[in-house]
Amino acid sequence: MGTRDPEQWAEARQVAARLDAEGVRTVALTWVDNAGITRVKAVPVRRLPQAVRRGVGMSPVFDAYTSEDATAPSAHLGGPDGDLRLFPDLDRITVLAAQPGWAWAPVDRYEQLGAPHPACQRQFARRMTDRAEAAGLRLRMGFETEWVVTRAPAPANTTASAGTDPAGPAEGADALEYPCAGPAYGMTRVVELSDYLRDIAEALALQGIDVLQLHPEYAAGQFEVSTAPADPVRAADEVVLVRETVRAVSVRHGLRASFAPSVVAGEVGNGCHLHLSLWRSDDSLHREAGAQWGLAPDAVRFLGGVLHALPALLAIGCPSPASYLRLAPSRWAGAYQCWGVENREAALRLVTGDPDDPEGGHAEVKSFDAAANPYLAVGAVIAAGLHGMAAGAALPPPVTGDPGLWGVRERARRGIVRLPASLPEAVEHLEKSAPLAEALGEVLLGAVLAVRRAEAARFAGSAAGEIAAATRWRY
Ligand code: GLU
Ligand code: MG
């Protein structure tokens, strides 16, 4: 955690010296804004101790930034005034394997006089993790990163200049060139991109990321990497690092990675599913002897709370108008508010795993995508789950099969509703969610809502293809 503690200062000097000896010249200090964009200030490695001691300045305006770098009007944030201090987390500093000379650290954001910035998303995630701990609950989480890789376009298409659309010219989906032609989940793609995938695996391993799986996904040019469970803040840090590592390796191979929810409108998109397991110290709440699905009563209540809050959580986990191009039925994206045991169409999938594996059980929120700020996503899911626990939430009967194939009457008979099909709809649910409003606090919630409304207004009336084109290279 960012701090002015003198011991950290001494440690920072040692870390800086070690990094310098390893050839690191610059440290990228990142945080993720409410629109899901990873923003950065970089410092020379010799300035790291000062950064740890005093923080690095950055305007609070970015809390109100949209994914297209416009400022959304917000009651508390978004003006030209003020400054925040970014404090790098020394425990997470990582030498970047695919960016020689660079290291990376996530930051916590503080006000100039040392108070935590009320809109700091990473501290929000930590606050919610601490809240869970106070309720006797330990969470382990991990994100699944999906991306589509294409050949890089001519440089003229990649840079924005004043007065032009920051997304670049609206490149039609038919201009995309994929560097592999093999089928979904096909070994052909692994052979076609063998060196690229090896470099991704190697970079992640060198960076200490515990990869569970790396494989081709369904859509053209799509791949996925999933990482081992970790504490919630670390899980959010890791998904940022994984994404930037995949991006960096792609660049080195003359390729370009898109993590956008919808790369080609109308096709399967990129998800960023959140996996979570619930524990009381070392006992999994997914392994209760004799309980249905192995779920301890608190796990049922927690997951019931998450399921119930999903319409509002979508405004956090599916934050872009493009998210709703992806979130369609029958694409394994979780478009209905239901849960199921090993059901990949359910928004909340219970993974029971091998009953003999004491660590095997967990749940997966499938609806989320990589436009989400991962710190907001983990924090909001914890807040919803804790509220469910306190309120004694229940889980309805699990769903098997694809509700998208059933027809309106059958879904109504089973009480299964579609999750919000547009950003404004999700925002309405978030506005009405007392538990999420309380957890986020007025300033952070206000900024999130402002950004969502601005993005919804920007794309109101835009055709699906335009939304996909404008957001394809933003995340
Ligand atoms: N690409 C799918 C999505 O949009 C997910 C496929 C899967 O991993 O189940 O979420
Ligand atoms: Mg996947």
Side-chain angles (χ1 to χ4, degrees), residues 144-146 185 215 217 222-224 271 273 332 364 366:
E144 232 175 88
T145 295
E146 295 184 339
Y185 304 92
H215 62 87
E217 253 290 352
Q222 195 177 35
F223 290 86
E224 168 179 324
H273 309 169
W332 288 13
E364 176 186 16
K366 288 200 68 113

Side-chain angles (χ1 to χ4, degrees), residues 5-14 49-50 52-53 90:
D5 175 354
E7 270 175 38
Q8 282 252 317
W9 162 254
E11 194 191 330
R13 286 164 61 134
Q14 282 171 12
Q50 282 89 338
V52 166
R53 186 177 213 178
L90 267 190

Side-chain angles (χ1 to χ4, degrees), residues 329-331 336 345 400-408 410-411 414:
S330 307
R331 292 196 201 148
Y336 288 97
E345 266 303 323
T400 49
D402 178 357
L405 302 178
W406 292 347
V408 183
E410 179 63 7
R411 280 196 298 272
R414 302 201 203 191

Side-chain angles (χ1 to χ4, degrees), residues 17-230:
R18 174 173 61 77
L19 293 177
D20 189 59
E22 286 180 44
V24 171
R25 294 293 166 259
T26 318
V27 187
L29 308 177
T30 68
W31 62 283
V32 184
D33 73 12
N34 293 318
I37 306 296
T38 299
R39 309 271 176 196
V40 65
K41 281 282 182 89
V43 294
V45 72
R46 66 183 167 74
R47 304 287 306 176
L48 183 65
Q50 282 89 338
V52 166
R53 186 177 213 178
R54 306 241 175 263
V56 173
M58 194 160 191
S59 164
V61 76
F62 299 104
D63 283 305
Y65 253 38
T66 70
S67 64
E68 292 185 304
D69 304 338
T71 310
S74 153
H76 301 279
L77 298 157
D81 308 298
D83 195 33
L84 294 170
R85 312 303 299 173
L86 314 181
F87 284 88
D89 187 338
L90 267 190
D91 293 336
R92 298 294 299 122
I93 204 153
T94 306
V95 177
L96 294 178
Q99 289 176 259
W102 285 84
W104 162 88
V107 304
D108 288 314
R109 297 184 302 145
Y110 284 79
E111 290 178 346
Q112 259 180 335
L113 297 179
H117 176 43
C120 175
Q121 299 87 350
R122 193 165 184 263
Q123 292 183 78
F124 164 68
R126 190 176 301 110
R127 265 200 315 279
M128 292 305 115
T129 307
D130 291 348
R131 221 183 240 198
E133 253 169 48
L137 200 65
R138 193 163 66 86
L139 283 115
R140 305 187 73 208
M141 292 183 160
F143 287 95
E144 232 175 88
T145 295
E146 295 184 339
W147 76 97
V148 167
V149 63
T150 71
R151 291 194 201 288
N157 281 357
T158 63
T159 45
S161 56
T164 65
D165 182 343
E171 175 190 47
D174 48 5
L176 298 176
E177 265 187 59
Y178 303 102
C180 54
Y185 304 92
M187 181 62 191
T188 306
R189 286 196 202 171
V190 172
V191 177
E192 289 172 301
L193 289 177
S194 183
D195 290 354
Y196 170 65
L197 297 171
R198 174 206 58 208
D199 287 354
I200 288 174
E202 187 171 281
L204 293 173
L206 284 169
Q207 292 171 185
I209 303 240
D210 187 2
V211 168
L212 296 174
Q213 296 186 8
L214 173 64
H215 62 87
E217 253 290 352
Y218 184 85
Q222 195 177 35
F223 290 86
E224 168 179 324
V225 74
S226 50
T227 56

